[in-house]
Amino acid sequence: MRIVIALGGNALLHRGERPDAAVQEANIDRVTTAIAALAQEHEIVITHGNGPQIGLLAVESAADPALSAPYPLHLLGAQTQGMIGSLLARTLHDALPGRRIAALVTHTLVRADDPAFDHPTKFVGQVYPYEVASTLARTRGWHIAADTTGWRRVVPSPAPERILETDTVHELLNSGTLVICAGGGGVPVTADQDTGALTGAEAVIDKDLTAALLAEDLKADFLLILTDVPCVYAGYGTPDQRPVLGATPAELRRGGFPDGSMGPKTEAAARFVEHTGGLAAIGSLDAAYEIVHGRSGTLVRPDLTVA
């Protein structure tokens, strides 16, 4: 079975942890343990988020007196692909002796006229108290929005149209390679209508929506979205909270899940299942093997009543 795995950005840097390299290197072992068991039995493609990492790099870039201007988000996104890809490739190399593993810097085409560029919604970086966040917004020109426990920077998140290296990923898979790609949703680029020349975009693409597109293009059998909760919950954080263990795409969309957290994950799962007839699931990183085998998480299945 061909499985595309979408790792949450907090897989390497949990909420509230210091953003030290040593912390992320320690957390990578947990990720490797979760994925290695699946990789023994299936073809695996790994994507990953980069919200904490790109936020950290953006803060460092904005504060660097040697720079005349901060690095743009598309270049920072490429840096996070390299860093996280290297960590994953190294640890998977040790966990899967003899397996070919490749980390690929990946570009994702977006529309230059996507309305998302005028309405930033994608959370990046750490959580701040309102006073700190508002000062950063004023001094650095950031947009900020309330997150679950504080305030964070938000940036544009245009819809992914096409992953430019899909054919290369196909070839690597056909040679038996475990591929790490489309990190942080891919480096966002626009294409000139006349020449096709690529230009980096000041944005961060949602990694779950990119993962759904990638899984569809690769003709994957299963899209596995791993996060920090055991499954999708209806009424999350309320007295009426209840687990959703199975759903169709239509049932998920009726759930009204928030854009800043579970919303993109449920939409990505719904799109993949609708477009392919395959299966998707959302659940905890530590239960990855159990999720694929139907013993944990939220399973998203086709609506067989639809003609």
Side-chain angles (χ1 to χ4, degrees), residues 12 21 24-25 28 32 82-92:
L12 299 186
Q24 298 185 67
E25 289 179 332
I28 199 69
T32 302
M83 178 183 71
I84 298 172
S86 175
L87 286 171
L88 287 168
R90 283 162 40 195
T91 53
L92 287 167

Side-chain angles (χ1 to χ4, degrees), residues 16 29 37 51 56 76 79 97 107 111 118 126 142 150 164 185 188 244 257 267 279-280 283 285 296-297:
D29 290 334
L56 173 64
L76 297 179
Q79 289 184 44
H107 302 79
R111 287 183 14 239
D118 296 323
Q126 67 190 82
W142 289 0
L164 300 185
V244 178
F257 300 102
E267 178 60 25
L279 297 174
L285 169 66
S296 185

Side-chain angles (χ1 to χ4, degrees), residues 5-132:
I5 300 175
L7 295 171
N10 56 8
L12 299 186
L13 196 58
H14 306 155
R15 190 181 291 266
E17 286 185 325
R18 292 182 63 87
D20 295 337
V23 172
Q24 298 185 67
E25 289 179 332
N27 286 338
I28 199 69
D29 290 334
R30 176 172 168 245
V31 176
T32 302
T33 299
I35 292 173
L38 288 173
Q40 299 282 5
E41 302 174 3
H42 305 286
E43 284 187 335
I44 299 294
V45 177
I46 302 171
T47 71
H48 58 80
N50 68 345
Q53 293 81 11
I54 196 170
L56 173 64
L57 292 178
V59 169
E60 293 175 345
S61 180
D64 191 334
L67 297 176
S68 58
Y71 271 48
L73 289 173
H74 58 90
L75 291 184
L76 297 179
Q79 289 184 44
T80 65
Q81 282 195 39
M83 178 183 71
I84 298 172
S86 175
L87 286 171
L88 287 168
R90 283 162 40 195
T91 53
L92 287 167
H93 173 273
D94 296 340
L96 300 166
R99 186 72 172 270
R100 292 181 178 179
I101 298 166
L104 184 66
V105 174
T106 315
H107 302 79
T108 301
L109 187 67
V110 300
R111 287 183 14 239
D113 62 351
D114 191 309
F117 284 110
D118 296 323
H119 303 283
T121 58
K122 177 70 174 173
F123 288 114
V124 298
Q126 67 190 82
V127 178
Y128 299 100
Y130 175 75
E131 294 76 12
V132 175

Side-chain angles (χ1 to χ4, degrees), residues 36-252:
L38 288 173
Q40 299 282 5
E41 302 174 3
H42 305 286
E43 284 187 335
I44 299 294
V45 177
I46 302 171
T47 71
H48 58 80
N50 68 345
Q53 293 81 11
I54 196 170
L56 173 64
L57 292 178
V59 169
E60 293 175 345
S61 180
D64 191 334
L67 297 176
S68 58
Y71 271 48
L73 289 173
H74 58 90
L75 291 184
L76 297 179
Q79 289 184 44
T80 65
Q81 282 195 39
M83 178 183 71
I84 298 172
S86 175
L87 286 171
L88 287 168
R90 283 162 40 195
T91 53
L92 287 167
H93 173 273
D94 296 340
L96 300 166
R99 186 72 172 270
R100 292 181 178 179
I101 298 166
L104 184 66
V105 174
T106 315
H107 302 79
T108 301
L109 187 67
V110 300
R111 287 183 14 239
D113 62 351
D114 191 309
F117 284 110
D118 296 323
H119 303 283
T121 58
K122 177 70 174 173
F123 288 114
V124 298
Q126 67 190 82
V127 178
Y128 299 100
Y130 175 75
E131 294 76 12
V132 175
S134 60
T135 298
L136 289 170
R138 185 173 61 255
T139 58
R140 296 179 177 170
W142 289 0
H143 295 274
I144 60 170
D147 197 0
T148 52
T149 58
W151 291 76
R152 297 175 71 188
R153 183 186 180 187
V154 287
V155 300
S157 186
E161 298 286 320
R162 182 162 59 91
I163 297 133
L164 300 185
E165 290 81 7
T166 299
D167 288 346
T168 303
V169 177
H170 261 297
E171 292 181 10
L172 288 168
L173 283 173
N174 291 338
S175 71
T177 303
L178 186 157
V179 184
I180 303 157
C181 64
V187 177
V189 293
T190 60
D192 184 273
Q193 290 186 346
D194 298 322
T195 67
L198 302 178
T199 301
E202 186 69 0
V204 176
I205 305 169
D206 184 84
K207 72 99 176 41
D208 295 309
L209 297 181
T210 297
L213 180 61
L214 178 68
E216 180 180 350
D217 290 345
L218 294 176
K219 295 179 172 54
D221 304 289
F222 202 106
L223 173 62
L224 177 58
I225 299 174
L226 298 176
T227 183
D228 55 358
V229 293
C231 62
V232 176
Y233 288 95
Y236 183 73
T238 72
D240 298 324
Q241 175 178 306
R242 61 177 179 81
V244 178
L245 302 182
T248 65
E251 289 167 345
L252 274 186

